[in-house]
Amino acid sequence: MTIQSNSPKTFEAGEDMDAFLRVVISNDGTVMLADAVDYGIGVTQKDSDDGESVAVRLDRHGGSSKMTASGAIIAGRRVYAAASGKIAATGTKVIGTALDAASGDGSVIEVLPHPGYQQSSSSSSSSSSSSSSSSSSSESSSSSSSSSSSSSSESSSSSSSSESSSSSSSSS
């Protein structure tokens, strides 16, 4: 049975880990430190030893998270996935925006998470759905026109529905 959980969610640590590091779920259900190639599922909230329970603030929970930097980071800039669950000023996987500056390795800063893969997916799907709804309207307009010419009773009902559409469009 699947249980819906709010953040933070408790997992079993699959290795020793410090607080404020990004983690991924391993095949056995434990959490492990995320690498530079991983977006991760969230950020640890306390130090934990292998086999202990660890609270993870899930990325999709909303709001900002504390994260550990691997080097200097400028506030207001994008941060990227780094090795050992940390974040960096450069990389290939966007993790979020730094709300604080990091002076170097081990600095804990506040980050507003926004995984890069979600940004690109949502913008392309919304534009394709608006295109398909435009073409659907065009198709229904042309089928209304052709059916209205087939008989005079259909023609008068098409006219009254067009007038209703026009008046509702102008009132909004």
Side-chain angles (χ1 to χ4, degrees):
M1 172 201 295
T2 302
I3 297 173
Q4 184 173 347
S5 175
N6 289 326
S7 195
K9 181 168 175 57
T10 303
F11 292 91
E12 181 182 329
E15 62 184 306
D16 294 348
M17 54 186 69
D18 294 330
F20 312 122
L21 294 173
R22 297 176 314 100
V23 292
V24 294
I25 299 177
S26 66
N27 292 338
D28 64 3
T30 63
V31 290
M32 307 289 287
L33 295 176
D35 275 327
V37 296
D38 302 315
Y39 287 109
I41 61 156
V43 180
T44 58
Q45 298 299 293
K46 66 175 191 137
D47 296 352
S48 299
D49 292 328
D50 186 5
E52 288 184 348
S53 292
V54 60
V56 175
R57 180 174 171 77
L58 302 173
D59 285 342
R60 301 286 181 251
H61 187 265
S64 61
S65 287
K66 289 183 178 180
M67 295 187 194
T68 305
S70 64
I73 294 174
I74 299 169
R77 299 279 175 95
R78 285 189 176 151
V79 294
Y80 299 85
S84 304
K86 295 181 180 181
I87 54 170
T90 61
T92 57
K93 302 275 187 203
V94 175
I95 297 300
T97 300
L99 300 179
D100 299 323
S103 58
D105 187 27
S107 297
V108 175
I109 63 169
E110 188 176 4
V111 174
L112 182 62
H114 53 86
Y117 69 92
Q118 189 178 44
Q119 293 173 350
S120 61
S121 313
S122 63
S123 62
S124 63
S125 66
S126 64
S127 63
S128 67
S129 64
S130 63
S131 310
S132 60
S133 62
S134 299
S135 58
S136 298
S137 319
S138 309
E139 289 168 10
S140 36
S141 297
S142 52
S143 67
S144 291
S145 320
S146 61
S147 64
S148 65
S149 62
S150 57
S151 84
S152 61
S153 65
E154 286 176 359
S155 175
S156 65
S157 76
S158 290
S159 305
S160 40
S161 92
S162 300
E163 290 166 13
S164 301
S165 302
S166 302
S167 64
S168 67
S169 298
S170 61
S171 64
S172 39

PDB file of all heavy atoms in Angstrom, residues 113-143:
ATOM      1  N   PRO A 113      15.076  25.441  -4.345  1.00  0.00           N
ATOM      2  CA  PRO A 113      15.221  24.359  -5.335  1.00  0.00           C
ATOM      3  C   PRO A 113      14.333  24.566  -6.557  1.00  0.00           C
ATOM      4  O   PRO A 113      13.201  25.013  -6.443  1.00  0.00           O
ATOM      5  CB  PRO A 113      14.761  23.108  -4.582  1.00  0.00           C
ATOM      6  CG  PRO A 113      14.727  23.478  -3.145  1.00  0.00           C
ATOM      7  CD  PRO A 113      14.498  24.962  -3.106  1.00  0.00           C
ATOM      8  N   HIS A 114      14.861  24.272  -7.739  1.00  0.00           N
ATOM      9  CA  HIS A 114      14.076  24.232  -8.976  1.00  0.00           C
ATOM     10  C   HIS A 114      14.807  23.378  -9.995  1.00  0.00           C
ATOM     11  O   HIS A 114      15.527  23.867 -10.840  1.00  0.00           O
ATOM     12  CB  HIS A 114      13.760  25.625  -9.530  1.00  0.00           C
ATOM     13  CG  HIS A 114      14.930  26.523  -9.730  1.00  0.00           C
ATOM     14  ND1 HIS A 114      15.689  26.532 -10.863  1.00  0.00           N
ATOM     15  CD2 HIS A 114      15.464  27.460  -8.919  1.00  0.00           C
ATOM     16  CE1 HIS A 114      16.647  27.443 -10.764  1.00  0.00           C
ATOM     17  NE2 HIS A 114      16.541  28.009  -9.596  1.00  0.00           N
ATOM     18  N   PRO A 115      14.591  22.053  -9.916  1.00  0.00           N
ATOM     19  CA  PRO A 115      15.281  21.145 -10.825  1.00  0.00           C
ATOM     20  C   PRO A 115      15.073  21.499 -12.287  1.00  0.00           C
ATOM     21  O   PRO A 115      13.952  21.756 -12.711  1.00  0.00           O
ATOM     22  CB  PRO A 115      14.669  19.777 -10.506  1.00  0.00           C
ATOM     23  CG  PRO A 115      14.162  19.928  -9.112  1.00  0.00           C
ATOM     24  CD  PRO A 115      13.729  21.366  -8.996  1.00  0.00           C
ATOM     25  N   GLY A 116      16.138  21.524 -13.045  1.00  0.00           N
ATOM     26  CA  GLY A 116      16.113  21.912 -14.450  1.00  0.00           C
ATOM     27  C   GLY A 116      15.227  21.055 -15.324  1.00  0.00           C
ATOM     28  O   GLY A 116      14.603  21.553 -16.248  1.00  0.00           O
ATOM     29  N   TYR A 117      15.154  19.741 -15.057  1.00  0.00           N
ATOM     30  CA  TYR A 117      14.350  18.872 -15.924  1.00  0.00           C
ATOM     31  C   TYR A 117      12.881  19.246 -15.858  1.00  0.00           C
ATOM     32  O   TYR A 117      12.174  19.129 -16.830  1.00  0.00           O
ATOM     33  CB  TYR A 117      14.556  17.399 -15.591  1.00  0.00           C
ATOM     34  CG  TYR A 117      13.998  16.962 -14.261  1.00  0.00           C
ATOM     35  CD1 TYR A 117      12.711  16.465 -14.162  1.00  0.00           C
ATOM     36  CD2 TYR A 117      14.760  17.041 -13.106  1.00  0.00           C
ATOM     37  CE1 TYR A 117      12.185  16.067 -12.948  1.00  0.00           C
ATOM     38  CE2 TYR A 117      14.254  16.653 -11.885  1.00  0.00           C
ATOM     39  CZ  TYR A 117      12.965  16.157 -11.813  1.00  0.00           C
ATOM     40  OH  TYR A 117      12.465  15.768 -10.604  1.00  0.00           O
ATOM     41  N   GLN A 118      12.383  19.723 -14.736  1.00  0.00           N
ATOM     42  CA  GLN A 118      10.967  20.054 -14.639  1.00  0.00           C
ATOM     43  C   GLN A 118      10.653  21.342 -15.402  1.00  0.00           C
ATOM     44  O   GLN A 118       9.613  21.460 -16.017  1.00  0.00           O
ATOM     45  CB  GLN A 118      10.566  20.204 -13.184  1.00  0.00           C
ATOM     46  CG  GLN A 118       9.063  20.336 -13.031  1.00  0.00           C
ATOM     47  CD  GLN A 118       8.657  20.439 -11.597  1.00  0.00           C
ATOM     48  OE1 GLN A 118       9.281  21.165 -10.842  1.00  0.00           O
ATOM     49  NE2 GLN A 118       7.616  19.731 -11.229  1.00  0.00           N
ATOM     50  N   GLN A 119      11.545  22.303 -15.388  1.00  0.00           N
ATOM     51  CA  GLN A 119      11.299  23.567 -16.085  1.00  0.00           C
ATOM     52  C   GLN A 119      11.126  23.345 -17.574  1.00  0.00           C
ATOM     53  O   GLN A 119      10.196  23.852 -18.171  1.00  0.00           O
ATOM     54  CB  GLN A 119      12.469  24.529 -15.868  1.00  0.00           C
ATOM     55  CG  GLN A 119      12.587  24.988 -14.448  1.00  0.00           C
ATOM     56  CD  GLN A 119      13.854  25.791 -14.234  1.00  0.00           C
ATOM     57  OE1 GLN A 119      14.718  25.856 -15.095  1.00  0.00           O
ATOM     58  NE2 GLN A 119      13.969  26.385 -13.078  1.00  0.00           N
ATOM     59  N   SER A 120      12.010  22.566 -18.203  1.00  0.00           N
ATOM     60  CA  SER A 120      11.925  22.392 -19.649  1.00  0.00           C
ATOM     61  C   SER A 120      10.717  21.553 -20.044  1.00  0.00           C
ATOM     62  O   SER A 120      10.103  21.797 -21.052  1.00  0.00           O
ATOM     63  CB  SER A 120      13.208  21.773 -20.190  1.00  0.00           C
ATOM     64  OG  SER A 120      13.421  20.513 -19.611  1.00  0.00           O
ATOM     65  N   SER A 121      10.321  20.562 -19.247  1.00  0.00           N
ATOM     66  CA  SER A 121       9.169  19.723 -19.591  1.00  0.00           C
ATOM     67  C   SER A 121       7.876  20.512 -19.536  1.00  0.00           C
ATOM     68  O   SER A 121       7.044  20.400 -20.399  1.00  0.00           O
ATOM     69  CB  SER A 121       9.012  18.561 -18.621  1.00  0.00           C
ATOM     70  OG  SER A 121      10.200  17.928 -18.401  1.00  0.00           O
ATOM     71  N   SER A 122       7.691  21.314 -18.496  1.00  0.00           N
ATOM     72  CA  SER A 122       6.414  21.992 -18.333  1.00  0.00           C
ATOM     73  C   SER A 122       6.190  23.066 -19.388  1.00  0.00           C
ATOM     74  O   SER A 122       5.083  23.248 -19.858  1.00  0.00           O
ATOM     75  CB  SER A 122       6.300  22.589 -16.934  1.00  0.00           C
ATOM     76  OG  SER A 122       7.286  23.554 -16.735  1.00  0.00           O
ATOM     77  N   SER A 123       7.230  23.760 -19.828  1.00  0.00           N
ATOM     78  CA  SER A 123       7.017  24.814 -20.818  1.00  0.00           C
ATOM     79  C   SER A 123       6.677  24.242 -22.186  1.00  0.00           C
ATOM     80  O   SER A 123       5.850  24.766 -22.889  1.00  0.00           O
ATOM     81  CB  SER A 123       8.228  25.737 -20.906  1.00  0.00           C
ATOM     82  OG  SER A 123       9.357  25.024 -21.322  1.00  0.00           O
ATOM     83  N   SER A 124       7.271  23.113 -22.575  1.00  0.00           N
ATOM     84  CA  SER A 124       6.967  22.561 -23.886  1.00  0.00           C
ATOM     85  C   SER A 124       5.591  21.918 -23.911  1.00  0.00           C
ATOM     86  O   SER A 124       4.904  21.966 -24.898  1.00  0.00           O
ATOM     87  CB  SER A 124       8.039  21.561 -24.326  1.00  0.00           C
ATOM     88  OG  SER A 124       8.081  20.472 -23.454  1.00  0.00           O
ATOM     89  N   SER A 125       5.154  21.315 -22.811  1.00  0.00           N
ATOM     90  CA  SER A 125       3.835  20.686 -22.836  1.00  0.00           C
ATOM     91  C   SER A 125       2.722  21.712 -22.838  1.00  0.00           C
ATOM     92  O   SER A 125       1.703  21.510 -23.448  1.00  0.00           O
ATOM     93  CB  SER A 125       3.671  19.711 -21.665  1.00  0.00           C
ATOM     94  OG  SER A 125       3.684  20.405 -20.455  1.00  0.00           O
ATOM     95  N   SER A 126       2.907  22.871 -22.191  1.00  0.00           N
ATOM     96  CA  SER A 126       1.834  23.869 -22.195  1.00  0.00           C
ATOM     97  C   SER A 126       1.693  24.521 -23.562  1.00  0.00           C
ATOM     98  O   SER A 126       0.602  24.813 -23.994  1.00  0.00           O
ATOM     99  CB  SER A 126       2.060  24.916 -21.112  1.00  0.00           C
ATOM    100  OG  SER A 126       3.223  25.646 -21.366  1.00  0.00           O
ATOM    101  N   SER A 127       2.791  24.712 -24.292  1.00  0.00           N
ATOM    102  CA  SER A 127       2.660  25.312 -25.612  1.00  0.00           C
ATOM    103  C   SER A 127       2.038  24.333 -26.597  1.00  0.00           C
ATOM    104  O   SER A 127       1.273  24.713 -27.444  1.00  0.00           O
ATOM    105  CB  SER A 127       4.010  25.811 -26.126  1.00  0.00           C
ATOM    106  OG  SER A 127       4.904  24.749 -26.286  1.00  0.00           O
ATOM    107  N   SER A 128       2.318  23.035 -26.474  1.00  0.00           N
ATOM    108  CA  SER A 128       1.721  22.082 -27.396  1.00  0.00           C
ATOM    109  C   SER A 128       0.235  21.910 -27.107  1.00  0.00           C
ATOM    110  O   SER A 128      -0.542  21.699 -28.011  1.00  0.00           O
ATOM    111  CB  SER A 128       2.448  20.740 -27.358  1.00  0.00           C
ATOM    112  OG  SER A 128       2.269  20.115 -26.119  1.00  0.00           O
ATOM    113  N   SER A 129      -0.190  22.016 -25.851  1.00  0.00           N
ATOM    114  CA  SER A 129      -1.614  21.864 -25.587  1.00  0.00           C
ATOM    115  C   SER A 129      -2.392  23.076 -26.071  1.00  0.00           C
ATOM    116  O   SER A 129      -3.509  22.958 -26.513  1.00  0.00           O
ATOM    117  CB  SER A 129      -1.883  21.582 -24.107  1.00  0.00           C
ATOM    118  OG  SER A 129      -1.505  22.659 -23.322  1.00  0.00           O
ATOM    119  N   SER A 130      -1.803  24.282 -26.052  1.00  0.00           N
ATOM    120  CA  SER A 130      -2.525  25.438 -26.576  1.00  0.00           C
ATOM    121  C   SER A 130      -2.606  25.373 -28.094  1.00  0.00           C
ATOM    122  O   SER A 130      -3.588  25.781 -28.675  1.00  0.00           O
ATOM    123  CB  SER A 130      -1.891  26.749 -26.108  1.00  0.00           C
ATOM    124  OG  SER A 130      -0.596  26.880 -26.589  1.00  0.00           O
ATOM    125  N   SER A 131      -1.600  24.811 -28.775  1.00  0.00           N
ATOM    126  CA  SER A 131      -1.662  24.645 -30.221  1.00  0.00           C
ATOM    127  C   SER A 131      -2.756  23.672 -30.592  1.00  0.00           C
ATOM    128  O   SER A 131      -3.505  23.893 -31.518  1.00  0.00           O
ATOM    129  CB  SER A 131      -0.364  24.067 -30.783  1.00  0.00           C
ATOM    130  OG  SER A 131       0.740  24.742 -30.342  1.00  0.00           O
ATOM    131  N   SER A 132      -2.854  22.560 -29.860  1.00  0.00           N
ATOM    132  CA  SER A 132      -3.856  21.575 -30.213  1.00  0.00           C
ATOM    133  C   SER A 132      -5.253  22.098 -29.933  1.00  0.00           C
ATOM    134  O   SER A 132      -6.175  21.787 -30.648  1.00  0.00           O
ATOM    135  CB  SER A 132      -3.609  20.241 -29.515  1.00  0.00           C
ATOM    136  OG  SER A 132      -3.640  20.401 -28.128  1.00  0.00           O
ATOM    137  N   SER A 133      -5.452  22.936 -28.922  1.00  0.00           N
ATOM    138  CA  SER A 133      -6.785  23.472 -28.698  1.00  0.00           C
ATOM    139  C   SER A 133      -7.136  24.500 -29.763  1.00  0.00           C
ATOM    140  O   SER A 133      -8.276  24.619 -30.145  1.00  0.00           O
ATOM    141  CB  SER A 133      -6.938  24.042 -27.284  1.00  0.00           C
ATOM    142  OG  SER A 133      -6.066  25.096 -27.073  1.00  0.00           O
ATOM    143  N   SER A 134      -6.155  25.227 -30.315  1.00  0.00           N
ATOM    144  CA  SER A 134      -6.421  26.160 -31.407  1.00  0.00           C
ATOM    145  C   SER A 134      -6.854  25.410 -32.649  1.00  0.00           C
ATOM    146  O   SER A 134      -7.795  25.787 -33.311  1.00  0.00           O
ATOM    147  CB  SER A 134      -5.167  26.967 -31.771  1.00  0.00           C
ATOM    148  OG  SER A 134      -4.736  27.718 -30.690  1.00  0.00           O
ATOM    149  N   SER A 135      -6.157  24.314 -32.969  1.00  0.00           N
ATOM    150  CA  SER A 135      -6.525  23.573 -34.160  1.00  0.00           C
ATOM    151  C   SER A 135      -7.870  22.888 -33.971  1.00  0.00           C
ATOM    152  O   SER A 135      -8.628  22.753 -34.904  1.00  0.00           O
ATOM    153  CB  SER A 135      -5.438  22.580 -34.562  1.00  0.00           C
ATOM    154  OG  SER A 135      -5.183  21.682 -33.527  1.00  0.00           O
ATOM    155  N   SER A 136      -8.213  22.476 -32.755  1.00  0.00           N
ATOM    156  CA  SER A 136      -9.523  21.880 -32.514  1.00  0.00           C
ATOM    157  C   SER A 136     -10.612  22.904 -32.752  1.00  0.00           C
ATOM    158  O   SER A 136     -11.648  22.594 -33.317  1.00  0.00           O
ATOM    159  CB  SER A 136      -9.643  21.375 -31.074  1.00  0.00           C
ATOM    160  OG  SER A 136      -8.715  20.380 -30.830  1.00  0.00           O
ATOM    161  N   SER A 137     -10.418  24.162 -32.333  1.00  0.00           N
ATOM    162  CA  SER A 137     -11.424  25.203 -32.558  1.00  0.00           C
ATOM    163  C   SER A 137     -11.603  25.451 -34.046  1.00  0.00           C
ATOM    164  O   SER A 137     -12.710  25.629 -34.507  1.00  0.00           O
ATOM    165  CB  SER A 137     -11.039  26.540 -31.969  1.00  0.00           C
ATOM    166  OG  SER A 137     -10.466  26.520 -30.774  1.00  0.00           O
ATOM    167  N   SER A 138     -10.507  25.484 -34.800  1.00  0.00           N
ATOM    168  CA  SER A 138     -10.597  25.713 -36.235  1.00  0.00           C
ATOM    169  C   SER A 138     -11.376  24.602 -36.898  1.00  0.00           C
ATOM    170  O   SER A 138     -12.220  24.849 -37.747  1.00  0.00           O
ATOM    171  CB  SER A 138      -9.227  25.759 -36.885  1.00  0.00           C
ATOM    172  OG  SER A 138      -8.392  26.627 -36.213  1.00  0.00           O
ATOM    173  N   GLU A 139     -11.072  23.347 -36.497  1.00  0.00           N
ATOM    174  CA  GLU A 139     -11.764  22.215 -37.090  1.00  0.00           C
ATOM    175  C   GLU A 139     -13.250  22.274 -36.771  1.00  0.00           C
ATOM    176  O   GLU A 139     -14.079  22.017 -37.614  1.00  0.00           O
ATOM    177  CB  GLU A 139     -11.171  20.900 -36.582  1.00  0.00           C
ATOM    178  CG  GLU A 139      -9.797  20.637 -37.139  1.00  0.00           C
ATOM    179  CD  GLU A 139      -9.098  19.490 -36.423  1.00  0.00           C
ATOM    180  OE1 GLU A 139      -9.741  18.779 -35.621  1.00  0.00           O
ATOM    181  OE2 GLU A 139      -7.907  19.309 -36.676  1.00  0.00           O
ATOM    182  N   SER A 140     -13.627  22.618 -35.533  1.00  0.00           N
ATOM    183  CA  SER A 140     -15.036  22.651 -35.214  1.00  0.00           C
ATOM    184  C   SER A 140     -15.726  23.801 -35.913  1.00  0.00           C
ATOM    185  O   SER A 140     -16.867  23.689 -36.291  1.00  0.00           O
ATOM    186  CB  SER A 140     -15.343  22.660 -33.723  1.00  0.00           C
ATOM    187  OG  SER A 140     -14.500  23.345 -32.945  1.00  0.00           O
ATOM    188  N   SER A 141     -15.035  24.927 -36.159  1.00  0.00           N
ATOM    189  CA  SER A 141     -15.635  26.031 -36.906  1.00  0.00           C
ATOM    190  C   SER A 141     -15.925  25.612 -38.330  1.00  0.00           C
ATOM    191  O   SER A 141     -16.995  25.877 -38.853  1.00  0.00           O
ATOM    192  CB  SER A 141     -14.697  27.239 -36.948  1.00  0.00           C
ATOM    193  OG  SER A 141     -14.483  27.720 -35.670  1.00  0.00           O
ATOM    194  N   SER A 142     -14.974  24.936 -38.980  1.00  0.00           N
ATOM    195  CA  SER A 142     -15.196  24.548 -40.361  1.00  0.00           C
ATOM    196  C   SER A 142     -16.254  23.460 -40.468  1.00  0.00           C
ATOM    197  O   SER A 142     -17.031  23.443 -41.397  1.00  0.00           O
ATOM    198  CB  SER A 142     -13.893  24.132 -41.046  1.00  0.00           C
ATOM    199  OG  SER A 142     -13.222  23.167 -40.305  1.00  0.00           O
ATOM    200  N   SER A 143     -16.350  22.546 -39.484  1.00  0.00           N
ATOM    201  CA  SER A 143     -17.401  21.538 -39.569  1.00  0.00           C
ATOM    202  C   SER A 143     -18.758  22.159 -39.307  1.00  0.00           C
ATOM    203  O   SER A 143     -19.745  21.744 -39.869  1.00  0.00           O
ATOM    204  CB  SER A 143     -17.123  20.369 -38.618  1.00  0.00           C
ATOM    205  OG  SER A 143     -17.215  20.782 -37.293  1.00  0.00           O
TER     206      SER A 143
END
